[in-house]
């Protein structure tokens, strides 16, 4: 007689369109066979209505009351008990105030302190493990004190605390076709007496990286694919792109004076930057205006949202809700599902005391 599958109920805060949840579904293909364990949706929270609609459309197990659109500061977190208990928790707390691209306000900013709501969830539910994700820039925020304080607080969560592992992941080293570097904190309940180790990178060096061209063109995206509308480029933008070679941007390309940008101050490297087809993409972001849309290596245009979703490892049948700009934001803010899958598989192996190749934490 087959043993009953153990359900690991996953709660999420700042869930976005469902990159982490989709990764959990992908991880189930392996962990359900190896350990008779399955990650399942319990509840999810985000304040972006379009992201919530996307989550509800694509993630398995969603119920009418299990996905909540609200600002966490306006929610009584204890009410989540009425929806479901959890034994796993994930929160990619807002990165705006920790990003190197922004002002790096850290705890002084509007978004910096929001991780505390994740700590409240840990205090209330005491799940077996949690995952917290943020940008690499958090390491230097508030002179390095922000990350130390966050780790310290999370480690003291719940009645007996959590054993913390913090690591800077370079996702291109795990087969993600994008240079996306993120700090991920994994905590396992102290009473389990287990220590998580980051899984060993599977793609070492440029020759092994998955290129942006390969991700976008193999297989060819169907013309009927959702979220694949072309952006109408201004003739001046098209003319400018003609002078920018793959890998170059508006500042290091040989552009005629008549087409150069009149910018004073900081010159962000991603402005009108073409992808290099022989390398992973540069980081896909959800913010920014003209010139930040990520540009094709040979065609004089910005990528479609579906092409960006490919670079974020979302499958083509994952359909994003909302207008084009809202979809761009969702894609750029999400955790790549394949990165999430790799993390969940390693965490479940840790809980099951199964072996896997790992590296020592670098933070």
């Amino acid at each position: 007689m087959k043993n009953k599958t153990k359900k690991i109920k996953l709660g999420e805060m700042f869930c976005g369109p469902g990159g982490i949840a989709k990764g959990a579904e992908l991880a189930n293909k392996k962990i359900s066979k190896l350990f008779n364990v399955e990650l399942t949706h319990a509840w999810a929270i985000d304040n972006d209505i379009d992201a919530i609609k996307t989550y509800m459309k694509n993630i398995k197990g969603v119920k009418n009351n299990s996905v909540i659109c609200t600002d966490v500061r306006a929610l009584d977190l204890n009410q989540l008990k009425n929806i479901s208990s959890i034994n796993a928790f994930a929160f990619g707390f807002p990165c705006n105030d920790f990003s190197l691209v922004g002002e790096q306000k850290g705890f002084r900013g509007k978004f910096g302190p929001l991780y505390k709501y994740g700590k409240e969830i840990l205090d209330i539910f005491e799940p077996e493990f949690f995952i917290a994700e943020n940008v690499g820039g958090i390491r230097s925020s508030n002179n390095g004190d922000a990350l130390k304080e966050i780790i310290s607080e999370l480690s003291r969560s719940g009645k007996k605390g959590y054993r913390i592992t913090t690591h800077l992941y370079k996702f291109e080293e795990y087969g993600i076709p994008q240079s996306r570097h993120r700090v991920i904190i994994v905590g396992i309940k102290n009473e389990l007496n287990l220590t998580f180790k980051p899984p060993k990178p599977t793609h070492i060096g440029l020759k092994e990286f998955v290129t942006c061209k390969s991700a976008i063109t193999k297989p060819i995206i169907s013309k009927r694919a959702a979220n694949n509308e072309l952006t109408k480029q201004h003739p001046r933008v098209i003319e400018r792109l003609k002078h920018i070679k793959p890998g170059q941007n508006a500042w290091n390309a040989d552009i005629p004076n008549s087409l150069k940008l009149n910018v004073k101050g900081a010159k962000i490297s991603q402005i009108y930057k073409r992808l290099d087809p022989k390398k992973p993409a540069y980081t896909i972001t959800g913010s920014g205006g003209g010139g930040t849309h990520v540009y094709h290596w040979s065609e004089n245009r910005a990528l479609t949202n579906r092409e960006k979703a490919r670079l974020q490892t979302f499958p083509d049948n994952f359909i994003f809700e909302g207008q084009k700009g809202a979809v761009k934001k969702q894609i750029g803010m999400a955790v790549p599902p394949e990165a999430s899958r790799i993390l969940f598989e390693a965490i479940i192996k840790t809980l099951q005391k199964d072996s896997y190749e790992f590296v020592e934490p670098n933070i």
Side-chain angles (χ1 to χ4, degrees):
M1 183 176 178
K2 186 178 180 181
N3 292 330
K4 187 176 181 181
T5 300
K6 178 185 177 181
K7 304 288 186 182
I8 298 180
K9 293 184 284 187
L10 174 65
E12 293 185 78
M13 182 179 285
F14 315 115
C15 65
I20 288 177
K22 189 63 184 177
E25 290 180 11
L26 296 172
N28 282 335
K29 296 177 183 178
K30 178 174 285 189
I31 64 175
S32 61
K33 292 180 181 178
L34 288 176
F35 311 114
N36 208 24
V37 167
E38 183 180 24
L39 292 153
T40 61
H41 163 80
W43 43 257
I45 306 164
D46 201 277
N47 68 348
D48 184 324
I49 185 61
D50 291 310
I52 287 292
K53 289 178 180 178
T54 297
Y55 191 105
M56 296 183 72
K57 187 179 188 70
N58 293 278
I59 302 304
K60 296 177 182 177
V62 169
K63 299 176 182 178
N64 288 336
N65 69 336
S66 68
V67 186
I68 304 169
C69 183
T70 187
D71 188 317
V72 294
R73 291 167 289 197
L75 179 67
D76 179 358
L77 299 180
N78 281 288
Q79 291 180 356
L80 296 170
K81 292 180 180 179
N82 298 326
I83 301 174
S84 176
S85 62
I86 60 171
N87 38 19
F89 178 53
F91 63 119
F93 54 102
C95 64
N96 312 54
D97 291 325
F98 301 117
S99 174
L100 292 173
V101 177
E103 297 178 54
Q104 275 204 295
K105 294 180 180 179
F107 290 149
R108 299 186 300 275
K110 175 181 178 182
F111 303 103
L114 291 182
Y115 77 93
K116 291 179 180 291
Y117 292 89
K119 183 187 184 306
E120 281 193 45
I121 291 293
L122 296 175
D123 289 337
I124 294 168
F125 288 91
E126 297 191 278
E128 292 181 21
F129 71 88
F130 73 84
I131 299 172
E133 179 261 358
N134 210 280
V135 293
I138 194 172
R139 292 172 298 164
S140 58
S141 186
N142 297 114
N143 297 315
D145 292 334
L147 183 57
K148 291 178 183 177
E149 183 173 335
I150 290 170
I151 292 171
S152 177
E153 286 201 46
L154 293 179
S155 70
R156 300 194 305 271
S157 298
K159 292 185 179 67
K160 297 183 179 180
Y162 286 82
R163 189 173 295 183
I164 303 292
T165 300
T166 309
H167 190 70
L168 176 69
Y169 290 80
K170 297 181 178 181
F171 286 154
E172 67 270 28
E173 295 181 349
Y174 293 87
I176 311 302
Q178 178 189 166
S179 294
R180 193 177 188 90
H181 301 171
R182 292 293 184 266
V183 169
I184 295 178
I185 305 168
V186 174
I188 297 179
K189 289 180 80 170
N190 275 331
E191 61 193 53
L192 296 177
N193 198 30
L194 295 169
T195 302
F196 174 74
K197 293 292 182 69
K200 183 180 179 180
T202 52
H203 296 64
I204 306 297
L206 186 58
K207 290 184 179 179
E208 295 185 11
F209 291 157
V210 179
T211 67
C212 56
K213 180 178 180 180
S214 175
I216 289 173
T217 63
K218 296 179 182 179
I220 297 294
I221 297 174
S222 169
K223 293 181 180 179
R224 298 188 299 275
N227 312 118
N228 200 36
E229 304 88 354
L230 290 169
T231 297
K232 188 175 181 181
Q233 306 288 180
H234 190 280
R236 185 175 176 81
V237 171
I238 294 173
E239 286 302 311
R240 183 178 293 125
L241 288 171
K242 288 179 181 179
H243 297 277
I244 301 175
K245 297 176 182 178
Q248 291 185 334
N249 59 33
W251 318 119
N252 58 19
D254 186 13
I255 300 174
N257 289 333
S258 60
L259 295 172
K260 285 184 178 179
L261 299 175
N262 184 20
V263 174
K264 296 180 180 179
K267 296 180 178 180
I268 300 172
S269 65
Q270 292 189 5
I271 298 295
Y272 291 107
K273 186 173 182 178
R274 279 194 187 271
L275 295 174
D276 184 333
K278 297 179 181 179
K279 297 179 180 179
Y282 52 90
T283 306
I284 304 300
T285 65
S287 59
T292 64
H293 297 290
V294 187
Y295 292 87
H296 198 278
W297 55 89
S298 62
E299 299 176 24
N300 297 317
R301 64 172 179 85
L303 294 190
T304 68
N305 279 326
R306 179 52 54 191
E307 289 169 330
K308 292 179 187 176
R310 281 271 186 102
L311 297 175
Q312 280 279 62
T313 71
F314 282 96
D316 288 355
N317 62 0
F318 193 103
I319 300 173
F320 295 86
E321 295 289 319
Q323 298 296 317
K324 188 184 291 185
V327 171
K328 174 194 174 185
K329 178 183 175 183
Q330 292 174 56
I331 294 170
M333 298 292 282
V335 175
E338 279 296 321
S340 172
R341 173 190 66 78
I342 291 166
L343 277 170
F344 277 121
E345 287 179 0
I347 291 170
I348 299 303
K349 285 183 177 181
T350 301
L351 295 176
Q352 296 292 323
K353 300 180 181 179
D354 192 38
S355 63
Y356 62 93
E357 290 190 285
F358 61 83
V359 294
E360 292 300 323
N362 55 21
I363 296 177

